[in-house]
Amino acid sequence: MSDRPAVILQAANTKPTVRPFVLGIETSCDETAAAIVSADGQILAHRVLSQIDDHAEYGGVVPEIAARQHISNLDGLILKVLKDSQMTVADVDAVAATTGPGLVGGLMVGVMTAKAAARAAGKPFIAVNHLEGHALTVRLSDDISFPYLLLLVSGGHCQLLAVYGVGQYRRLGTTIDDAVGEAFDKTAKLMGLGYPGGPAVEKAALEGNPLRFKFPRPLMNKPGCNFSFSGLKTAVLRAAEACVEARGALYSDDRADICAAFQHAVADCLTNRLTRAAALFREKAGGGELPFVVAGGVAANQFLRARLQQTCEELGFVFCAPPLALCTDNGAMIAWAGMERFLADPTIDDRDVSPRPRWPLDQSAEPLVGRGKKGPKS
Ligand code: KG4
Ligand code: ZN
């Protein structure tokens, strides 16, 4: 486990003045994270412990290892965050934790710890939807008003949503197979670039020629706003096989060219679907300059950010994206989503809410993948 340097986005020594303060805990996947935010959007403390080293040899997240690492590290991390902000748990006004969707073992660790801390301090517990954490982060970093159009791109999700308010989401499109982050991770694995794949593919693509390989753009120009990435993954596999056949091995220029062509194909798919969703959103939300927000781990990709920004400007939308440190999973996004819910209902207490491995943001939307007893994954 590597302790990523604590990212204190705003100085902790400027004495917070605006209560309430919310402690947020994130354990839904392979990051153990905690943060404290104040009602005026200051991040008073913010730490992320990455488990990348623990999962790297398996090429992906192993749920049992993840849960065990959360158990070992969460208490200490919370104590560090409290110390960073010169608080005790009695000084926070509520404790929020990711309660779903995610890996159930990790969710249980975060939720049980948060409930115990909240109960001990006599404060409310707030159950946060991880996706809502990503969806609202931009209101912490940039103070964006509702409504906005959101592209949520992460390891488990790829969705276009109209965001009308806290808890008010309408899904305009979703992936019918793989999530976009998953496509990055699988591409990286095929290229032998390791885990997590997104940053590795982005780096390799910088040296590549995007025109050498012609990859498909699944669902491009098709009706609706859905995405599909599984065909792209197969095309990457075929291209890699062809390189090995032609040259006896996959060389670094092959890798770079495949990654660049892959990233261009992803950008074309995302911007094409965004254009359609923007028209739908504008119909409902009216004219004027509307905000477009990209969030989730894949939003850390500079190439995709630039392409989305360009499309957004052509469509007359205002482009917004959280700072890179708040795109991938972190505790501040959970603390902030908890804050938004707490401000909307100061009597809130979710002490009876249990971890939910599946928890869609738009509960009325039909699941397209991951149908199951507990509801849709995306
Ligand atoms: O939001 P996140 O941290 O966790 C989930 O909620 O899934 O997103 C993780 C995903 C991974 O698939 C990772 O490869 C991808 O985000 N990612 C990136 C980049 N940084 C992280 N994908 C493309 N480019 C990046 N720079
Ligand atoms: Zn996430």
Side-chain angles (χ1 to χ4, degrees), residues 307-365:
R307 284 286 307 273
L308 288 164
Q309 178 160 11
Q310 188 192 343
T311 304
C312 202
E313 281 160 12
E314 286 162 13
L315 295 168
F317 275 66
V318 181
F319 178 83
C320 316
L324 297 190
L326 295 183
C327 286
T328 45
D329 291 349
N330 63 85
M333 72 187 218
I334 302 306
W336 182 253
M339 176 71 74
E340 294 249 27
R341 299 199 53 223
F342 191 48
L343 294 176
D345 175 8
T347 66
I348 191 171
D349 194 347
D350 292 328
R351 64 173 70 182
D352 297 327
V353 178
S354 302
R356 301 176 62 178
R358 289 163 185 253
W359 187 359
L361 273 182
D362 179 353
Q363 308 263 355
S364 67

